[in-house]
Amino acid sequence: MAAKYVILPCNGLDKEAGCLARELALKMAAAMDGEIICPVLYQTAPSRYASLLQEGNLIVIDGCATRCASRIAANNNLKISRKITMAEEAKKRDYNPGPDWRLGAGAAAFVEDVWRSWQPVFMEQGAGRASEENTGLFAGPVEYAIHRHDKFIFRVPLEGFYFNENDCWVQVEGNRGRVGISDYLQQNLSDITFVTPPDPGTEVEQFGEMGTIESAKAVYELVSPVTGRVVAINEAVLEAPELINENPYEKGWIAELELTNFEADREFLLDGRRYLEVLKEKVADFNAGK
Amino acid sequence: MSEEGRLSVGLISCSGEACPGGTISRLATQKVLRSIRPGYNFVTICLPLFMAGGEEERNFARDYPTITIDGCEKCCALKATEALSGPVSGKVVVTDLIAKEDIGEGTLSIRELTGEQKAMVDHVAAAILEQVTKIKQEG
């Protein structure tokens, strides 16, 4: 087992999605020897779970978009390791949670499928966490260009990085690419509070979704600059999302991909110098209130 | 107090992640919610949302008769409702109705209920409906 997990599911009495969240929590707890936090008891007697929360990685499972479990975690300043939202999982699978809370065979199969898809993320085997060995493959930028505007300073690496106009970058080494967000975007988002990277093994298309970043201001959907298969995610930013604010081009990388079409993808990307020009325009437009 | 001539009653169940009685309370609440009972409009209130700051939920429990359904003697639902919205109109505690040792231990999946546990759900649902009747009689 990679780590001890504690699971905070939503109560889910009102909607089937919530009942599914609870069923997934039970399945995960049994499979990973994890502990479930009762969202209600936690709020009436938080000390009961204090040591568990200190020792374990917290997984939050929400049923619907109201995200009660996430709200409870946020209200109590709990550090979330992973979030799962059953309504989103259902959407991905074209599964329509119905009004029947008794959870028939279809619901059971759905929960099983959701667990199967998340299992590699939580279990040691195939977890796809970045290892010490592969972190050496990507050297940090040698040289940064700087663009100053009022009190703001924006950095852009000039060599080895390619950007899309959505302010996401890829650093390429051989057939591997490490992806993240630009200094400009992290400053726009302000304090980053949570990162949901793509799952290891996910096939990502150029300009397809590559996870989300949540900040105090917004939830931002990452747009992949390249096509490929996710082979690792940056465990460090899951633990400390602020690394993206502090060091977006090195410690704040988000995922590593095995590139499958980079020569073609590059046609639609900007190198550091060209991105710097785009950045200047964005800053000017922002300043002009466009 | 009524919607289209029907009496609205709020049902707040415990979450059931910490005790098997919670699963019974959840299912009994759902059973009442889905039951057809002319003259009544049952509304469930999601307890974590209620506690996390759901104003609509809190106002509902303040303005309409509300019954809490707890799985065990910790009475999380009752305590939270009283703290956030005021006195409740009725309360049901599963362990007051069924001996703890009969319910079993650990958390329960909805799909793994035994025949005996299903009968417990019916028993608790009936107790909730008794509270509903009492509320109606008391006006």
Side-chain angles (χ1 to χ4, degrees):
Chain A
M1 201 75 59
K4 172 80 179 170
Y5 288 104
V6 286
I7 305 156
L8 175 64
C10 97
N11 163 269
L13 192 68
D14 289 0
K15 298 170 186 165
E16 194 199 19
C19 296
L20 294 169
R22 184 171 183 273
E23 290 298 309
L24 180 65
L26 291 172
K27 191 171 269 296
M28 289 172 75
M32 303 192 297
D33 196 23
E35 299 273 353
I36 294 179
I37 295 180
C38 173
V40 178
L41 184 57
Y42 174 64
Q43 293 190 93
T44 52
S47 59
R48 183 189 161 110
Y49 295 108
S51 61
L52 258 184
L53 284 163
Q54 272 182 349
E55 290 163 15
N57 294 330
L58 177 64
I59 302 165
V60 168
I61 308 177
D62 284 304
C64 67
T66 312
R67 297 177 194 270
C68 295
S70 292
R71 282 167 69 169
I72 293 166
N75 288 350
N76 291 283
N77 294 316
L78 299 182
K79 196 175 180 69
I80 301 169
S81 165
R82 281 281 176 171
K83 270 193 208 178
I84 301 172
T85 304
M86 297 308 276
E88 286 174 9
E89 298 292 333
K91 201 173 161 190
K92 279 187 212 165
R93 292 165 176 80
D94 238 358
Y95 175 77
N96 294 314
D100 193 342
W101 47 273
R102 284 168 294 192
L103 300 184
F110 166 72
V111 170
E112 181 64 37
D113 192 48
V114 173
W115 167 234
R116 267 205 306 270
S117 72
W118 280 93
Q119 196 172 15
V121 177
F122 297 116
M123 310 297 270
E124 198 166 52
Q125 270 196 329
R129 299 295 191 242
S131 64
E132 288 302 318
E133 302 88 82
N134 72 20
T135 51
L137 181 65
F138 293 90
V142 175
E143 189 186 355
Y144 284 110
I146 302 281
H147 175 59
R148 289 175 198 274
H149 184 85
D150 297 334
K151 64 179 182 179
F152 298 102
I153 296 172
F154 303 100
R155 297 186 307 160
V156 177
L158 291 179
E159 302 295 337
F161 285 68
Y162 298 87
F163 296 79
N164 60 23
E165 295 203 10
N166 309 88
D167 306 291
C168 296
W169 54 259
V170 58
Q171 183 185 15
V172 179
E173 287 292 341
N175 70 339
R176 291 289 178 101
R178 189 169 274 185
V179 294
I181 67 167
S182 73
D183 191 23
Y184 170 77
L185 179 54
Q186 71 79 10
Q187 290 194 50
N188 258 294
L189 288 171
S190 183
D191 294 337
I192 292 168
T193 53
F194 194 80
V195 181
T196 306
D199 296 328
T202 305
E203 303 282 346
V204 179
E205 293 285 325
Q206 187 181 37
F207 301 117
E209 191 193 330
M210 187 184 70
T212 57
I213 286 183
E214 292 179 40
S215 76
K217 278 182 169 178
V219 177
Y220 184 84
E221 195 173 283
L222 296 162
V223 179
S224 179
V226 283
T227 304
R229 187 174 63 87
V230 178
V231 292
I233 57 170
N234 186 358
E235 184 84 0
V237 298
L238 297 180
E239 298 294 319
E242 63 273 17
L243 284 174
I244 298 175
N245 293 116
E246 292 164 12
N247 193 334
Y249 299 114
E250 293 176 69
K251 291 181 180 170
W253 64 277
I254 292 165
E256 197 171 303
L257 281 74
E258 185 178 63
L259 304 178
T260 51
N261 201 20
F262 183 63
E263 286 310 311
D265 289 347
R266 190 159 58 179
E267 299 283 317
F268 300 98
L269 298 175
L270 309 165
D271 62 22
R273 284 176 177 78
R274 285 168 62 206
Y275 176 69
L276 180 64
E277 296 311 310
V278 170
L279 182 153
K280 286 176 183 173
E281 284 172 23
K282 287 189 179 198
V283 172
D285 285 351
F286 184 82
N287 199 43
K290 286 183 189 173
Chain B
M1 288 285 191
S2 65
E3 184 182 292
E4 296 166 359
R6 294 188 298 166
L7 176 66
S8 288
V9 178
L11 304 173
I12 304 186
S13 168
C14 110
S15 179
E17 314 297 356
C19 65
T23 303
I24 307 290
S25 73
R26 286 166 63 91
L27 292 175
T29 304
Q30 287 277 13
K31 200 170 180 86
V32 172
L33 180 73
R34 308 284 178 208
S35 67
I36 297 167
R37 197 166 165 94
Y40 294 92
N41 173 41
F42 295 119
V43 177
T44 56
I45 294 173
C46 180
L47 190 51
L49 177 61
F50 176 82
M51 295 170 85
E55 276 308 309
E56 284 180 13
E57 285 74 13
R58 290 182 187 182
N59 289 338
F60 184 93
R62 217 169 276 142
D63 299 340
Y64 291 86
T66 294
I67 300 167
T68 55
I69 304 99
D70 279 296
C72 70
E73 67 285 352
K74 289 193 196 86
C75 291
C76 296
L78 175 65
K79 284 178 191 167
T81 309
E82 286 185 336
L84 298 169
S85 294
V88 299
S89 303
K91 62 175 180 176
V92 173
V93 182
V94 173
T95 47
D96 286 351
L97 302 169
I98 304 158
K100 241 181 175 179
E101 53 272 22
D102 291 340
I103 301 173
E105 286 182 358
T107 45
L108 275 177
S109 165
I110 290 172
R111 289 179 54 78
E112 291 167 0
L113 254 55
T114 63
E116 279 180 343
Q117 286 163 332
K118 284 177 185 166
M120 291 174 195
V121 170
D122 291 341
H123 184 38
V124 175
I128 299 169
L129 288 170
E130 271 176 34
Q131 295 290 314
V132 171
T133 305
K134 202 175 107 196
I135 290 167
K136 180 81 170 176
Q137 285 168 349
E138 288 172 357

